[in-house]
Amino acid sequence: MDNWRDHAACRHVDPDLFFPVGTTGPALVQTERAKEVCGLCPAREPCLDWALATGQSTGVWGGTSETDRRSLRRQARSRPRSR
C-alpha cells in the first residue's frame, strides 16, 4: 500500500469523530463509533503502525484509543529484545 491514507475508510468521515473530548459518557460512544469505522478499514494496520511510530497521543488511530496505544507501548517495552 503506497500511501495508506489514500485507502483509509476515514477519508470520507468527519475527522472530529476520531478525536472525542473526554473519556466518559458521550466520548466513549464516539470512540466506539470511530473504532467501527476502523474495523472496516483496509489501512488499519499501517495507520496503527504510523500512530505508534509517531507517538500519537490523542484520537483514534488504527482502531485504537489513546488508552489502547499506551497499553500496546507498555507491552512492547516489556518484551525482551532480540539480538
Side-chain angles (χ1 to χ4, degrees):
M1 198 174 293
D2 292 344
N3 188 349
W4 60 265
R5 288 177 186 92
D6 292 338
H7 305 282
C10 61
R11 280 187 69 192
H12 305 291
V13 178
D14 183 352
D16 288 341
L17 175 66
F18 299 90
F19 295 92
V21 177
T23 56
T24 61
L28 289 176
V29 173
Q30 186 176 342
T31 298
E32 288 308 311
R33 286 187 183 147
K35 286 180 173 186
E36 287 173 8
V37 173
C38 296
L40 302 172
C41 184
R44 182 178 180 174
E45 187 175 328
C47 176
L48 176 56
D49 291 344
W50 180 84
L52 292 170
T54 59
Q56 297 302 306
S57 61
T58 60
V60 174
W61 295 91
T64 64
S65 67
E66 298 128 11
T67 304
D68 298 331
R69 289 190 304 280
R70 273 194 301 273
S71 178
L72 289 171
R73 284 191 287 273
R74 272 193 307 272
Q75 290 172 9
R77 283 192 303 266
S78 68
R79 281 189 218 121
R81 295 180 188 237
S82 59
R83 293 180 188 235

